[in-house]
Amino acid sequence: MGDFVGVDPENLKELTRRLERLHDMLARQGPAIQQKMQKWGSELSFASLSRLIAAALDDVRDMDARTTRAYELARQQGWNVMTGAPSVLGPVFARPPVVRLDWEATGQSGDQGRRDAEALAAALAAKNPEEARTALAPLAERLECHLADKDYQEAFWAGAGPLASQAARMLYNRTGPTLFGAETVSILRALGASLAAASRMRVGAGKESRPLLSTAARDAITRGSDPWSAGMLAKYGPDGRSWDPRLLADLTRTMLDARAAGRAIWPPDRGEPETGTAATRRQRLMAEFDAVGAVLQRAAENGIAARHVLGDPATGPKYARMLVSDSWHTPGFDPGAFLSSYVHPGGALPLAGRMDLSTPVGAFLKAAVSAERGTSLDAKESAWSVVHIVQATAAFAKLHPQTVLPHQIRQALTYTAERYLPDFAKSVGHDFSSQPLPKENDPANPWTVVVKSSELETMIAEALRTPEEFGRFKGILNARVAIAVAATIKDPSDADYLHEVAGLYGLVQRLQNERHFIDEQLRDEEETRNQTAFAILTGGFGALSFKNTWGPGTIAQFLTGSFGPLASESFDTDHALRALKDNDDAFRKQVLQIEVPVVQGLIGAGALHPPEHVTWYTNGRLTPNAEFVEWLSAHAETSYGGRTLLEWIRAAQEAMRVQQ
């Protein structure tokens, strides 16, 4: 043992903070100082700077360990941070006594991590939540200092896993207007950040490499007895991209299973509400601190985690059915309990106060189908996710034929259809099986989706409910004609992509006809359709790109990767249509139906080269005007890509079911 010295824990804590600030300054400014000195021709050597910065960090950790040990010794002597004082109402802060400390104690990260895990255990074992919060405040600071320290993280989470997953329930405010105070939030935020950092770390090298978090530590988080408390670590932790996808996927499955089993996923009850206002406030509290929604949001931000969950062929269908549902709301309450017998003479009243919880669900469903199209495992899981979402929607519609899904979930279904539109077009008329396959069963080609036509029809019927929604989707189909034309020319096979688009367009049109919209609604649909198609084709939203040269083998990648959903769910295209203000409605309707996408597709395929200096084609964008109409008439019999322009237009008109 080394020499024992008398130290004041408070002074030692201040010294530690000053060393931390010194190290932070050196770490941030050191490289800039070195660069400037070299720029000015300084002969000073900075070879040792990196070693000095590392040594400063070791000094900080050593002093932090001594500070922690000093407070432990003070508590062993009977010191308590909050104590009573004569003539003072309530507890006051008590300064710790001077203690005799072994100065040879150093801040080995593993030792510090184990000590902090023990401190967490001691704090959460306290009967008084206020004392626990006060004791854990220094822990939050240390966790933030050790986010990148593997030794510390491994030791801390080996002992803290079961405790951290219960921290929120042990620390929540039992009184007051909010569930968590600022101090509790800082603790949960630090625990969440530490867990997220540890989840992405690995130790060892080569074949010996393994996740830093042990299986026991991961299970304590993802399979613990308190899913709500574990969900709060995700809520207050960092953005989902900072987490390990596998950990988030496991936590998502746990949350969905807990919800399905009726386990505690809501904040702890504060007793039965005595008024309708209190009951409504309770519903808002449940929505704000919904553990399932918090985890779904983090998994959606991560993306890969969402695809791990829904893209699993074995378990994905089960979780897709849980997500595609109309049950995403708080349970509500019986208003009859708060009414007098005169106002409420008896009988059941509809539940009141329900809060919508579908926003993170919609984000999760979108993330599950958003992998970059290609041959990767991520693309495969995304394709499986599409299959499972389509099947889950069909199953929901069969069980609840009169029920409308929440708006956010319907938007996710439309997003899925837009992203996999070529796959769905090819699936029309196919009613045998649903599965992802490499295009043409060639492993070198991107993963594509084949779904049953009957299930696809049900999904689109569930997704599109209003005239504007039908119009927007049909506008995207109109714009897709450009790709269909180009692909038909460039694909070395005899594939007729216009025919495939025709089938999907006909399916959508038939579903719209079955809605029996009135004339005024149909005019709204037509305007939305035209605006959407025009906005895409004029390049205003970057949805179409023909910049890359095509060649053998690239057609599959073009069909699956070149056209994505519009970036905005509620974009403004009025400015685009105002460009046609000098033309009458008949001209606008004619041009926006099919001619523009056909010509754009021929240009994209390289079969048609617009004349120089025309006013209707600049910088890769086709903007129809009167000169464009004259050009169409003059070149109707000119052959492009094996057909005359008129034949292409007539084929496209048939494909898009204009007569229908």
Side-chain angles (χ1 to χ4, degrees):
M1 298 292 290
D3 295 332
F4 283 81
V5 295
V7 297
D8 182 327
E10 282 294 303
N11 292 339
L12 202 59
K13 182 179 180 180
E14 178 60 27
L15 177 58
T16 302
R17 287 176 173 171
R18 293 184 182 185
L19 284 173
E20 287 175 348
R21 289 195 291 268
L22 175 61
H23 168 262
D24 289 343
M25 188 275 292
L26 287 172
R28 289 196 310 269
Q29 304 298 334
I33 294 173
Q34 180 179 358
Q35 184 180 22
K36 289 183 179 180
M37 293 296 285
Q38 290 175 343
K39 181 179 180 180
W40 294 337
S42 173
E43 297 180 357
L44 292 176
S45 173
F46 289 87
S48 61
L49 182 60
S50 60
R51 292 194 298 272
L52 290 173
I53 293 175
L57 179 59
D58 289 338
D59 290 339
V60 170
R61 290 171 176 169
D62 288 345
M63 201 61 68
D64 191 36
R66 294 173 185 134
T67 301
T68 302
R69 181 58 179 160
Y71 276 99
E72 289 176 354
L73 292 172
R75 281 189 287 270
Q76 290 174 11
Q77 295 180 17
W79 169 76
N80 191 325
V81 66
M82 303 299 287
T83 186
S87 70
V88 176
L89 295 177
V92 296
F93 175 77
R95 190 180 184 90
V98 173
V99 297
R100 286 177 55 79
L101 176 69
D102 177 11
W103 199 254
E104 292 296 317
T106 58
Q108 296 297 322
S109 297
D111 294 337
Q112 183 66 60
R114 281 186 288 274
R115 288 179 182 274
D116 284 344
E118 293 169 0
L120 177 66
L124 295 183
K127 299 298 184 181
N128 187 335
E130 295 295 335
E131 292 184 6
R133 277 190 284 272
T134 303
L136 288 178
L139 172 61
E141 295 178 9
R142 287 196 294 276
L143 287 172
E144 293 173 356
C145 291
H146 291 277
L147 289 179
D149 188 337
K150 289 185 178 181
D151 292 338
Y152 176 93
Q153 292 277 36
E154 185 174 17
F156 177 79
W157 285 103
L163 302 166
S165 64
Q166 302 172 26
R169 189 172 297 275
M170 294 181 179
L171 294 173
Y172 88 101
N173 290 335
R174 286 170 171 77
T175 58
T178 62
L179 195 69
F180 294 131
E183 203 168 35
T184 300
V185 168
S186 67
I187 294 169
L188 294 176
R189 185 174 290 121
L191 285 170
S194 179
L195 177 60
S199 72
R200 297 181 68 90
M201 291 179 176
R202 299 187 68 85
V203 294
K207 295 182 179 180
E208 302 299 322
S209 176
R210 61 175 177 80
L212 179 141
L213 286 178
S214 66
T215 301
R218 292 176 67 95
D219 288 349
I221 298 296
T222 60
R223 302 180 183 180
S225 59
D226 189 353
W228 176 78
S229 197
M232 292 302 98
L233 296 184
K235 175 179 176 64
Y236 288 103
D239 184 277
R241 289 166 292 188
S242 299
W243 295 74
D244 170 58
R246 293 289 178 187
L247 179 71
L248 275 182
D250 289 343
L251 190 56
T252 300
R253 296 186 186 99
T254 294
M255 289 295 169
L256 291 174
D257 288 339
R259 182 178 185 271
R263 294 176 61 193
I265 58 169
W266 307 112
D269 283 327
R270 293 176 167 177
E272 289 296 324
E274 298 181 355
T275 65
T277 301
T280 300
R281 187 183 303 116
R282 168 67 182 162
Q283 297 296 310
R284 291 174 180 170
L285 204 64
M286 295 173 81
E288 182 180 357
F289 296 96
D290 170 32
V292 181
V295 173
L296 288 174
Q297 184 62 44
R298 292 289 178 253
E301 293 164 354
N302 184 282
I304 297 176
R307 296 188 281 276
H308 284 340
V309 174
L310 291 192
D312 187 319
T315 61
K318 176 180 75 170
Y319 294 113
R321 288 193 296 271
M322 291 181 182
L323 291 163
V324 181
S325 166
D326 67 328
S327 63
W328 291 100
H329 50 71
T330 58
F333 62 90
D334 177 11
F338 310 109
L339 300 175
S340 68
S341 58
Y342 177 78
V343 176
H344 177 233
L349 290 175
L351 293 176
R354 284 181 170 177
M355 306 294 294
D356 180 70
L357 303 176
S358 64
T359 296
V361 181
F364 183 91
L365 292 172
K366 289 180 180 179
V369 301
S370 293
E372 182 178 352
R373 304 296 297 271
T375 59
S376 67
L377 176 61
D378 193 30
K380 181 180 180 181
E381 288 186 333
S382 185
W384 269 115
S385 297
V386 173
V387 171
H388 296 152
I389 289 172
V390 172
Q391 292 174 332
T393 307
F396 174 83
K398 183 177 181 180
L399 292 174
H400 310 280
Q402 304 302 320
T403 303
V404 178
L405 286 166
H407 177 68
Q408 298 291 344
I409 294 178
R410 292 195 299 107
Q411 278 193 335
L413 298 181
T414 305
Y415 176 92
T416 302
E418 292 174 11
R419 190 169 184 84
Y420 282 78
L421 195 148
D423 309 63
F424 286 175
K426 197 173 186 64
S427 296
V428 174
H430 170 91
D431 222 17
F432 302 102
S433 62
S434 299
Q435 61 181 320
L437 294 168
K439 184 174 174 60
E440 300 173 352
N441 287 318
D442 185 347
N445 283 337
W447 285 95
T448 58
V449 170
V450 177
V451 295
K452 288 185 178 181
S453 186
S454 56
E455 293 176 343
L456 172 62
E457 179 176 340
T458 302
M459 173 189 167
I460 294 177
E462 290 295 314
L464 306 179
R465 290 282 178 169
T466 68
E468 290 79 10
E469 289 170 346
F470 273 100
R472 183 180 183 278
F473 193 75
K474 288 165 65 178
I476 293 171
L477 279 169
N478 274 17
R480 176 58 77 163
V481 169
I483 292 181
V485 170
T488 302
I489 295 174
K490 300 299 291 187
D491 195 333
S493 71
D494 293 329
D496 188 344
Y497 296 99
L498 271 179
H499 179 75
E500 294 175 2
V501 171
L504 182 58
Y505 192 96
L507 184 152
V508 173
Q509 185 64 59
R510 175 163 49 82
L511 291 174
Q512 178 181 327
N513 293 343
E514 292 173 358
R515 300 287 189 200
H516 301 293
F517 295 130
I518 62 176
D519 291 343
E520 183 177 349
Q521 292 174 316
L522 291 176
R523 284 193 294 272
D524 292 339
E525 177 273 326
E526 181 180 11
E527 186 70 8
T528 304
R529 167 167 51 86
N530 290 342
Q531 288 183 11
T532 303
F534 187 80
I536 295 174
L537 289 166
T538 56
F541 296 89
L544 290 176
S545 174
F546 298 99
K547 295 180 180 178
N548 297 326
T549 304
W550 291 358
T554 63
I555 183 65
Q557 184 62 43
F558 172 78
L559 286 174
T560 58
S562 69
F563 184 94
L566 297 178
S568 172
E569 294 291 349
S570 57
F571 54 85
D572 175 18
T573 56
D574 287 343
H575 67 284
L577 286 177
R578 280 197 295 270
L580 301 177
K581 62 183 178 180
D582 294 333
N583 303 292
D584 59 24
D585 291 339
F587 162 76
R588 181 185 305 176
K589 183 180 298 186
Q590 173 196 5
V591 170
L592 292 181
Q593 285 290 356
I594 215 66
E595 285 84 347
V596 171
V598 166
V599 173
Q600 182 76 75
L602 292 172
I603 294 173
L608 188 160
H609 300 282
E612 294 184 3
H613 309 302
V614 294
T615 59
W616 50 267
Y617 188 79
T618 56
N619 299 323
R621 297 181 180 182
L622 196 162
T623 305
N625 55 22
E627 183 182 339
F628 176 68
V629 175
E630 295 176 2
W631 181 90
L632 284 174
S633 177
H635 293 80
E637 299 300 328
T638 305
S639 179
Y640 302 103
R643 303 182 191 178
T644 67
L645 179 58
L646 184 59
E647 288 172 339
W648 277 115
I649 292 173
R650 286 177 175 172
Q653 288 173 338
E654 174 62 25
M656 300 306 292
R657 301 287 196 270
V658 170
Q659 299 85 347
Q660 203 173 18

